Amino acid sequence: MARLDNPVTVVTGAGGSEGRQAALRPAAGGSRVGLTDLDASSLDETEALVRETGGEVIAVAGDIVSEQTIDELTTRLVDACSKVDGLVNNVGIVFSKPLLEHPVEDFDGVMHINTCPAS
């Protein structure tokens, strides 16, 4: 299988342990990465680790369901790299108790985060 030239990968939820690993792996393989997470300090740590591997990174702290966050990350990536080749969508929430014990607002929140970004 052919490899992409100068690949660009977006990783959401990049501040947590799984997202951090999802960012470091493509960066170590030569991919430039665009990162986002709600937690700015955790995102800063991931960004620093990517830079330590020699990877190129653009990081935007914010809520991935916010059009502002999506627009800022995409604009910066397209300006710097002219493309996006891959996405690791590492953001989602789950119920912590049986479904029927949650109010409708909990269900709506899960559906909004897990299935309808920027809507």
Side-chain angles (χ1 to χ4, degrees), residues 3-27:
R3 294 180 62 90
L4 295 170
D5 264 349
N6 300 309
V8 180
T9 304
V10 173
V11 180
T12 66
S17 60
E18 291 170 357
R20 182 166 290 151
Q21 292 307 310
L24 290 170
R25 186 166 180 99

Side-chain angles (χ1 to χ4, degrees), residues 7-104:
V8 180
T9 304
V10 173
V11 180
T12 66
S17 60
E18 291 170 357
R20 182 166 290 151
Q21 292 307 310
L24 290 170
R25 186 166 180 99
S31 183
R32 295 171 287 174
V33 292
L35 310 177
T36 188
D37 198 283
L38 273 173
D39 184 338
S41 63
S42 293
L43 183 61
D44 289 345
E45 291 174 21
T46 302
E47 181 179 6
L49 289 169
V50 168
R51 290 190 193 286
E52 285 177 19
T53 70
E56 293 180 50
V57 61
I58 293 174
V60 174
D63 190 343
I64 195 57
V65 299
S66 158
E67 286 185 45
Q68 180 180 351
T69 302
I70 295 167
D71 288 347
E72 182 178 350
L73 182 60
T74 348
T75 299
R76 290 182 61 197
L77 279 171
V78 170
D79 286 350
C81 307
S82 301
K83 65 178 183 166
V84 172
D85 297 303
L87 168 66
V88 178
N89 191 13
N90 184 53
V91 174
I93 53 176
V94 296
F95 288 128
S96 58
K97 54 188 176 187
L99 174 64
L100 296 177
E101 293 179 23
H102 285 270
V104 170

